[in-house]
Amino acid sequence: MKKINVMDRVYAANEEWAEANRNLLKENGSVMLNLIGSPGAGKTALIEQTIPRVSDFRSPAVIEGDLATSRDADRVRKTGAPAYQINTGSGCHLNARLVNTALLDLYKKGGHDLIFVENVGNLVCPAEFDIGEHAKIAVLSVAEGDDKIEKYPLLFARASALVVTKIDLLAHTDFRTEKVKRDYERLNKRGRTFIVDNLRGDGFDGWIEFLKRL
Amino acid sequence: MKKINVMDRVYAANEEWAEANRNLLKENGSVMLNLIGSPGAGKTALIEQTIPRVSDFRSPAVIEGDLATSRDADRVRKTGAPAYQINTGSGCHLNARLVNTALLDLYKKGGHDLIFVENVGNLVCPAEFDIGEHAKIAVLSVAEGDDKIEKYPLLFARASALVVTKIDLLAHTDFRTEKVKRDYERLNKRGRTFIVDNLRGDGFDGWIEFLKRL
């Protein structure tokens, strides 16, 4: 029981910052998406390919979460969008307070109405921490195998959309996209599935349409 | 400060169970390895390919950790080795108490002197929880990208060996094995790197030799 109470306090403190983030996003007319997936799922490449495709109808900015290095923020800045790097040290997820600091910094530099948050590469913990986002987006690469929806249901049950990445590797794996789509949409009746080649930028129409409607 | 004290208590309670596991392993003359890697890194396939190659000099058994399903234990049992499935629900890592229950169950069924623990797919949290293992083994797939040692240093600094998997995908990615080996061995002077095709079972000699010497 003690452990549950401790976690309840952690979640409650986080929820206050998440609420602050929701207010901040509202004041700035922004939508914020929380991208969650394993290390190497292709989250950064998905953002790199998405930024130029939304820039005619949105002003995007990116918050990057990693244990160490500013590598991902450096990559994203080459698209022209501003990026704020959070280093968590040994932390396995972004919390709402860290994201608040990042949002305040980004808004100081300009108006942004579509904020992508790339969470720490981890299919488990980030799903449990509300950062004030409008939607969680699950990112799963073909190379990870098609049993992941069943084995890590926590995230997929909470994610408003699933982006299946690295479709260029499909021919070299036994990944079944139809099975994954079916498993995800069974867990999550309103979930939308998008299948993209995030390396070459193919198959982005549905995903961009989804972003347009947010 | 409060948060640090809470985590200190969690680690201290875990450490007592880890010590109990070390005693249990010693009594049974067993070596236990803690395999840690992202979801879909190929940990189960690595175990499936390893079991038949160690069975002439060791009696292996497997403890599988997943949020949900008994899929991995079912796969492993087909090799003939006993497997105990732990389901953590929403838990992001195995703790020493869960592993203790699994060990007691496995020993009830027979003598085993090489225990592989496949931790929950996660590059972050499992590295922080001692389960009483003799060594942590990091598992990284070619498909995850060659920047992971720098971005997730916590695990790699603590792992006695790194097994690079899915080398069959090398030609379809920009993964540089030499860079990864260099990054890992810089972090971890005594670390050993093994590069394997865990799908077809090629390149296992060095890894099996390492297991023989434990």
Side-chain angles (χ1 to χ4, degrees):
Chain A
M1 280 306 289
K2 196 191 288 178
K3 195 177 164 196
I4 291 171
N5 288 338
V6 167
M7 283 313 292
D8 281 347
R9 284 208 301 276
V10 171
Y11 290 133
N14 186 67
E15 202 45 44
E16 285 181 30
W17 283 103
E19 191 56 32
N21 290 350
R22 272 186 283 273
N23 290 333
L24 189 57
L25 292 163
K26 200 172 172 184
E27 282 164 27
N28 287 275
S30 302
V31 167
M32 183 165 80
L33 299 179
N34 185 2
L35 272 62
I36 303 178
S38 300
K43 297 180 292 300
T44 317
L46 176 66
I47 292 171
E48 286 174 314
Q49 292 287 352
T50 301
I51 297 277
R53 292 174 167 81
V54 296
S55 297
D56 59 337
F57 61 92
R58 287 283 196 178
S59 170
V62 180
I63 298 171
E64 287 287 343
D66 273 303
L67 270 65
T69 82
S70 62
R71 195 183 139 84
D72 287 353
D74 296 341
R75 282 175 60 186
V76 165
R77 283 189 199 109
K78 288 181 189 158
T79 65
Y84 184 99
Q85 179 77 51
I86 298 172
N87 280 149
T88 62
S90 63
C92 54
H93 62 274
L94 294 179
N95 63 40
R97 189 182 56 75
L98 290 168
V99 171
N100 189 266
T101 305
L103 280 173
L104 289 174
D105 184 86
L106 286 170
Y107 286 136
K108 237 188 284 174
K109 292 172 187 159
H112 305 291
D113 59 8
L114 180 57
I115 317 284
F116 294 99
V117 180
E118 179 179 341
N119 219 308
V120 176
N122 184 332
L123 270 191
V124 189
C125 317
E128 299 202 89
F129 285 82
D130 179 9
I131 56 172
E133 74 272 7
H134 290 77
K136 289 180 171 63
I137 309 292
V139 183
L140 177 72
S141 102
V142 157
E144 290 173 63
D146 60 17
D147 57 356
K148 295 301 170 293
I149 310 289
E150 297 160 272
K151 287 172 67 182
Y152 299 84
L154 190 70
L155 166 63
F156 298 102
R158 295 181 182 184
S160 304
L162 164 65
V163 184
V164 177
T165 54
K166 304 200 185 185
I167 202 74
D168 54 305
L169 293 179
L170 194 62
H172 312 291
T173 70
D174 55 3
F175 190 93
R176 293 159 294 177
T177 50
E178 275 312 307
K179 175 194 188 305
V180 164
K181 185 174 154 64
R182 200 168 55 235
D183 286 352
Y184 168 60
E185 294 176 5
R186 188 183 299 142
L187 253 184
N188 202 323
K189 304 283 179 222
R190 302 176 64 182
R192 297 283 312 277
T193 306
F194 304 105
I195 296 170
V196 303
D197 179 341
N198 56 321
L199 193 65
R200 296 191 195 85
D202 291 335
F204 271 65
D205 291 356
W207 167 239
I208 299 302
E209 198 55 40
F210 172 81
L211 297 177
K212 229 174 228 173
R213 290 183 185 178
L214 287 174
Chain B
M1 280 304 288
K2 195 191 287 178
K3 195 176 164 195
I4 291 172
N5 288 338
V6 166
M7 283 313 292
D8 281 348
R9 284 207 301 276
V10 171
Y11 290 133
N14 186 67
E15 201 46 43
E16 286 181 31
W17 283 103
E19 191 56 33
N21 290 350
R22 272 186 284 273
N23 291 333
L24 189 56
L25 293 165
K26 201 171 170 185
E27 281 165 27
N28 287 276
S30 302
V31 167
M32 183 166 80
L33 299 179
N34 186 1
L35 273 62
I36 304 177
S38 300
K43 298 180 291 302
T44 317
L46 176 66
I47 292 171
E48 288 173 312
Q49 292 288 351
T50 301
I51 298 279
R53 291 174 168 82
V54 297
S55 297
D56 58 337
F57 62 93
R58 289 282 197 178
S59 171
V62 180
I63 297 171
E64 287 288 342
D66 272 303
L67 269 65
T69 82
S70 63
R71 195 183 139 84
D72 287 351
D74 295 341
R75 281 174 60 185
V76 165
R77 283 189 199 110
K78 289 181 188 157
T79 66
Y84 184 98
Q85 179 77 51
I86 298 172
N87 281 148
T88 62
S90 63
C92 54
H93 62 275
L94 293 178
N95 63 40
R97 188 181 56 75
L98 291 169
V99 172
N100 189 267
T101 304
L103 281 174
L104 289 174
D105 184 86
L106 287 171
Y107 286 137
K108 237 187 284 173
K109 293 172 187 158
H112 304 290
D113 59 7
L114 180 57
I115 316 284
F116 294 99
V117 179
E118 179 178 341
N119 219 309
V120 176
N122 183 334
L123 270 192
V124 189
C125 318
E128 299 202 89
F129 285 82
D130 179 11
I131 55 171
E133 73 273 7
H134 291 77
K136 289 180 171 62
I137 310 292
V139 182
L140 177 72
S141 102
V142 158
E144 289 173 64
D146 60 17
D147 56 355
K148 295 301 170 292
I149 311 288
E150 298 160 272
K151 288 173 65 181
Y152 299 84
L154 190 72
L155 166 65
F156 298 102
R158 295 181 183 185
S160 305
L162 164 66
V163 184
V164 177
T165 54
K166 305 201 183 181
I167 202 72
D168 55 304
L169 293 179
L170 194 62
H172 312 292
T173 70
D174 55 3
F175 190 93
R176 294 160 294 176
T177 50
E178 275 312 307
K179 177 194 188 302
V180 164
K181 184 174 154 64
R182 203 170 53 236
D183 286 352
Y184 168 59
E185 293 177 5
R186 190 183 298 143
L187 253 184
N188 201 323
K189 305 284 179 219
R190 303 175 64 182
R192 297 283 310 279
T193 307
F194 304 106
I195 297 170
V196 303
D197 180 340
N198 55 322
L199 193 65
R200 295 191 196 84
D202 291 335
F204 271 65
D205 291 356
W207 166 239
I208 300 301
E209 198 55 39
F210 171 83
L211 296 176
K212 230 173 226 172
R213 291 183 184 176
L214 286 173

